[in-house]
Amino acid sequence: MTTTTRLPLAATTAALLVATTLYAAGPVHADDSDPSVPPGTEASASAPVKVDPTDPDLKLPEGATLAAAKVLDIKSVVEEQSGDERREDTNADVKFALQAEVLFGKDSSKLNDEAKSRISAIAEEIKKQNATRIRVFGFTDDLGSSAHGDVLSRQRANAVQAFLDQDLNDPGITFEVRGYGEQYPIADNSTEAGRKKNRRVEVSFPRA
């Protein structure tokens, strides 16, 4: 993990990894008619049921064996105290979520100087992980029309992808770029604090 001078708040959880990989054949790809589900938005497992250890049905039949053991994937989440940036690491993937306010002006898709610095730091991590397939997904809150949110989130994702592509300067890298608008919120849209979290661009890629 790249060391920064920020003061992160870290939380570590264990979850079974369910990986669905949808990548484009060309350098940039989007299929707005049938969008893929953003990583991390899959339904979580339900709480385990209470087990009676004396239940005879839990005993293995004679000659039966247990199934092969499964490895639990560990997810590490590090978020800046300001909430401007969040990093999630699993054994398989790395995902950065940048709030729109630190990347763009209001209702804009033009990157500011701070945005370029943050995206360059993500590019360095991509190089470190030798990643060649990168997802760039844009999201908005639910204010305004859904159509406007779809367009703005895609424009913002395009802007981040274009800067990453320029910074990485690697023709072997393919991108999947999508704008999801108000879909897949990660916080409550009924409060400004929640809407701020939902206005974001996510960059994710496989670990080395």
Side-chain angles (χ1 to χ4, degrees):
M1 184 179 296
T2 303
T3 302
T4 67
T5 57
R6 309 186 192 102
L7 298 176
L9 298 176
T12 305
T13 60
L16 290 174
L17 175 63
V18 180
T20 303
T21 309
L22 296 174
Y23 291 118
V28 180
H29 172 72
D31 183 1
D32 295 328
S33 62
D34 186 21
S36 62
V37 177
T41 60
E42 300 87 352
S44 59
S46 58
V49 297
K50 187 175 181 180
V51 176
D52 179 4
T54 63
D55 190 333
D57 291 334
L58 294 178
K59 295 181 180 180
L60 287 174
E62 187 175 350
T65 59
L66 292 172
K70 293 183 179 180
V71 178
L72 290 177
D73 190 37
I74 303 300
K75 176 185 284 189
S76 172
V77 180
V78 179
E79 183 172 355
E80 290 186 350
Q81 287 183 329
S82 63
D84 291 345
E85 182 175 330
R86 185 180 72 254
R87 172 175 174 158
E88 296 182 9
D89 285 84
T90 70
N91 293 341
D93 299 287
V94 179
K95 179 168 70 176
F96 289 88
L98 299 171
Q99 288 189 1
E101 277 79 355
V102 302
L103 300 177
F104 311 98
K106 185 177 180 180
D107 207 30
S108 170
S109 59
K110 182 178 180 181
L111 293 171
N112 58 39
D113 291 338
E114 181 180 358
K116 295 174 182 178
S117 175
R118 288 178 179 266
I119 296 170
S120 290
I122 295 176
E124 288 303 313
E125 183 64 20
I126 292 172
K127 295 174 184 177
K128 178 181 176 182
Q129 299 297 338
N130 296 315
T132 58
R133 295 178 177 179
I134 303 169
R135 285 173 163 178
V136 184
F137 294 160
F139 304 86
T140 63
D141 57 30
D142 65 351
L143 297 181
S145 71
S146 176
H148 177 69
D150 290 345
V151 172
L152 181 61
S153 63
R154 177 56 187 269
Q155 290 174 339
R156 288 176 167 177
N158 284 342
V160 173
Q161 181 274 328
F163 190 84
L164 272 175
D165 192 27
Q166 174 184 328
D167 206 340
L168 293 167
N169 191 28
D170 185 347
I173 291 178
T174 57
F175 292 87
E176 182 182 355
V177 183
R178 298 184 186 276
Y180 286 100
E182 64 189 51
Q183 298 182 72
Y184 309 111
I186 59 174
D188 187 357
N189 269 313
S190 66
T191 68
E192 177 53 28
R195 291 191 292 270
K196 183 178 179 182
K197 285 182 175 292
N198 291 332
R199 299 189 294 266
R200 68 197 190 278
V201 175
E202 296 182 351
V203 178
S204 60
F205 45 90
R207 295 184 67 85

